[in-house]
Amino acid sequence: MATPFETLNDSSKEFVNSAMKSVSALSQGLQTIANEAADYSKKSFEEGTALIEKLASTKSPEQAFETHSVFSKKAYENFIAQATKFGELYADLAKEAYKPYEAVVAKVAK
């Protein structure tokens, strides 16, 4: 039979292991999100630069308005898609960060 000290020691080790796994999952998830944000920022900047170049070469206000309208619609659609993707990444991050604690919580709940 284990002494209370040994039980406490085992529980502490299990908790520390779970915490380290959770921190690792958080780190990886945040790195993924940061990379995604950097890629989106780069793409948005490149698209904005392309818009400026197109606007500089337009011949009429109507053509400039049309060019800007197309850009705005595309930018909005890209933003919504990216926001959805970020939401999914954050949800996955939360699930992965909690996963190491599931066994510990289940054990305590018994």
Side-chain angles (χ1 to χ4, degrees):
M1 182 170 180
T3 65
F5 179 74
E6 289 171 343
T7 304
L8 180 62
N9 191 26
D10 291 342
S11 295
S12 297
K13 286 180 184 178
E14 188 175 355
F15 179 77
V16 168
N17 287 337
S18 296
M20 294 304 292
K21 289 177 185 174
S22 179
V23 168
S24 177
L26 279 170
S27 176
Q28 291 172 351
L30 290 174
Q31 184 65 42
T32 301
I33 291 168
N35 289 339
E36 191 65 37
D39 291 345
Y40 176 70
S41 296
K42 181 180 177 184
K43 181 180 171 189
S44 293
F45 181 77
E46 290 170 352
E47 289 173 354
T49 302
L51 171 68
I52 298 298
E53 291 172 358
K54 283 183 182 179
L55 287 175
S57 67
T58 58
K59 306 285 186 210
S60 68
E62 292 82 17
Q63 189 180 16
F65 182 76
E66 179 64 28
T67 300
H68 192 270
S69 295
V70 169
F71 169 80
S72 297
K73 182 179 178 188
K74 184 178 176 185
Y76 175 76
E77 290 169 353
N78 288 342
F79 173 76
I80 296 300
Q82 193 64 41
T84 301
K85 190 171 187 176
F86 277 134
E88 292 168 356
L89 288 172
Y90 277 109
D92 291 344
L93 173 64
K95 289 175 191 172
E96 290 299 316
Y98 178 72
K99 201 177 280 187
Y101 294 109
E102 286 177 341
V104 175
V105 170
K107 193 178 208 182
V108 170
K110 287 183 179 180

